[in-house]
Amino acid sequence: MSYEVQVESDGRRRGLGQRVLCVLEKLAHATRMRYVRLTALTHNPSASAFFKACGYSLDETSPPKDEAAHYEILSKSTDEVEDISTSEEKSLSDGMRAVQMLTPQT
């Protein structure tokens, strides 16, 4: 599966990115995915620093630095994600409904 999630510049530095990652990690854990992988553009070091501060590290599938790739792949094991409590499950459910409502219908 592949999804693209971005936080617009006006929404940054308000905790939204951490919350989005938390929901994605819990969703991945609940659906028995082993990892959350993401791509960070190398010309955006603040994004890379943010992801690393959230527990992500360089993934084995990331291109070698000497290939001058414009991106790096970071990952985090879902084993590090705690089980969802009942209140968090409701929050996750509410969050997924919001995502579904914002997803364009085809």
Side-chain angles (χ1 to χ4, degrees), residues 5-47:
V5 178
Q6 298 176 357
V7 175
E8 294 290 328
S9 58
D10 291 347
R12 294 184 190 144
R13 308 212 48 90
R14 297 182 176 167
L16 180 59
Q18 287 178 317
R19 183 67 182 143
V20 168
L21 284 179
C22 182
V23 169
L24 290 173
E25 292 163 7
K26 289 178 180 185
L27 180 61
H29 180 74
T31 56
R32 296 190 174 111
M33 293 181 189
R34 294 180 294 166
Y35 295 94
V36 174
R37 286 193 175 96
L38 55 88
T39 303
L41 301 177
T42 55
H43 70 270
N44 189 353
S46 61

Side-chain angles (χ1 to χ4, degrees), residues 25-26 28-30 32-36 55 75-83:
E25 292 163 7
K26 289 178 180 185
H29 180 74
R32 296 190 174 111
M33 293 181 189
R34 294 180 294 166
Y35 295 94
V36 174
S75 64
K76 182 177 181 180
S77 170
T78 57
D79 291 341
E80 300 171 29
V81 177
E82 295 178 18
D83 286 328

